[in-house]
Amino acid sequence: MVNSKERFLKAYSNLPENLRGEIIVVVDKKPYSWDAVYFEVKENTVLSKKLLKTLCRIDII
């Protein structure tokens, strides 16, 4: 089974570069773009787990 991190990275890698700056999710009243989420996921932060969970819940990934 593919986990949420792998699903996000696959979606991110297939996304056109000009869309990566677009906001995809708001968590704790703060907007996050594809690039911002990618940075958090790459660094494996606590916030990345919250972002990935939210992206899964709203069917983005």
Side-chain angles (χ1 to χ4, degrees):
M1 183 172 166
V2 179
N3 67 30
S4 58
K5 183 176 181 178
E6 290 170 351
R7 288 197 320 258
F8 172 79
L9 292 173
K10 183 177 180 182
Y12 181 83
S13 69
N14 289 320
L15 195 66
E17 259 187 67
N18 61 336
L19 295 180
R20 292 180 180 179
E22 298 291 321
I23 294 171
I24 58 165
V25 68
V26 176
V27 172
D28 297 332
K29 299 183 183 180
K30 294 181 185 174
Y32 293 92
S33 68
W34 284 96
D35 284 332
V37 176
Y38 176 77
F39 174 79
E40 296 294 333
V41 168
K42 188 176 87 171
E43 297 297 318
N44 201 30
T45 65
V46 173
L47 176 59
S48 74
K49 291 169 185 23
K50 196 172 195 179
L51 292 166
L52 290 171
K53 183 177 180 182
T54 303
L55 289 171
C56 285
R57 186 174 46 83
I58 61 175
D59 288 328
I60 299 291
I61 57 170

